[in-house]
Amino acid sequence: MRLSFGQCLLDVDARELRCDGAPQPLSPKAFQFLVLLVQERPRAVAKQEIHERLWPDSFVSDASLARLANEVRTAIGDDARAPQYLRTVHRFGYAFSGEAADVAPATAAPPSCHLVWADRQIPLFAGENLLGRAPGARVVIELARVSRHHARIVVDGGRAVIEDLGSKNGTSLRGQPLTAPAELADGDEICIGPALLVFRTSAGDSTTETGTSP
């Protein structure tokens, strides 16, 4: 499920929140809290129900919920005093009160735009293609030196732009550290940790597969 509200995009399957195109880090519980409220919108969810859904086997105080609400509001740029999205229902619970729209899955980009990794050819989608260890990534790289959300490639028409997403070990392009978004050209070599990928804009002879570790 992918939902947009304001300048934010919530990708439940990829467990990612982006606002103004930038990833917004959320703790696992804060992400669950946001997803719960969005899925139940516009219904106000009682504190007791939130406790049971987020901490089924533990007791936590209401202060923990207040901290999660503050974390989510900070990430989405909301204001507790004049909330647009996350509303506190006093003496009851919380509700997501903003408008949210379903976002259709990305459609495939032309098959000539793809990554070559070892003996695999991974087609890229129009729009954002996440590279990293996250299970929902377009290119899943299950290696220790690779971050969950390591980098992304955005395909728009005839252009493809790569950007490092603040990964711990960095991304390199053409043998140089990637410090800012850069447009890709056919044959460019990309290093995501120890994984070497080649960006291609012409069809190769490799078998087309989804993005999994070779």
Side-chain angles (χ1 to χ4, degrees):
M1 180 176 70
R2 302 172 81 229
L3 293 166
S4 67
F5 54 93
Q7 300 301 314
C8 298
L9 175 65
L10 177 65
D11 192 326
V12 177
D13 296 328
R15 295 189 62 82
E16 182 178 48
L17 173 68
R18 285 184 170 273
C19 297
D20 291 322
Q24 300 298 316
L26 282 177
S27 66
K29 291 298 183 187
F31 189 87
Q32 287 179 262
F33 179 62
L34 175 59
V35 170
L36 170 60
L37 296 183
V38 169
Q39 288 178 333
E40 297 296 331
R41 71 188 192 283
R43 180 174 75 90
V45 185
K47 293 178 183 179
Q48 182 62 34
E49 182 179 348
I50 298 172
H51 280 295
E52 292 172 353
R53 298 275 290 271
L54 268 59
W55 295 279
D57 302 314
S58 305
F59 173 79
V60 295
S61 68
D62 288 346
S64 297
L65 288 183
R67 284 193 291 270
L68 294 186
N70 183 63
E71 183 180 348
V72 170
R73 286 184 175 119
T74 298
I76 66 178
D78 209 3
D79 187 343
R81 292 170 296 183
Q84 287 184 285
Y85 303 108
L86 203 163
R87 179 169 60 92
T88 299
V89 183
H90 294 290
R91 297 187 180 182
F92 182 79
Y94 296 89
F96 187 90
S97 57
E99 294 292 331
D102 289 316
V103 178
T107 55
S112 59
C113 184
H114 59 271
L115 292 174
V116 176
W117 183 17
D119 61 348
R120 301 186 180 213
Q121 179 176 303
I122 306 167
L124 298 175
F125 288 148
E128 181 180 274
N129 298 266
L130 179 65
L131 292 76
R133 287 191 295 108
R138 178 60 190 151
V139 184
V140 180
I141 306 174
E142 296 177 337
L143 299 174
R145 293 178 58 200
V146 176
S147 300
R148 285 177 56 81
H149 297 168
H150 197 105
R152 67 172 179 168
I153 295 175
V154 178
V155 178
D156 183 7
R159 298 178 71 240
V161 175
I162 185 170
E163 177 185 2
D164 183 80
L165 298 177
S167 62
K168 182 178 180 180
N169 293 300
T171 302
S172 67
L173 174 64
R174 309 179 197 112
Q176 299 297 321
L178 186 65
T179 57
E183 186 167 352
L184 291 167
D186 182 51
D188 276 349
E189 292 188 344
I190 304 163
C191 284
I192 304 292
L196 175 63
L197 303 93
V198 180
F199 175 78
R200 300 307 304 265
T201 57
S202 57
D205 296 326
S206 303
T207 301
T208 299
E209 301 189 9
T210 56
T212 54
S213 300

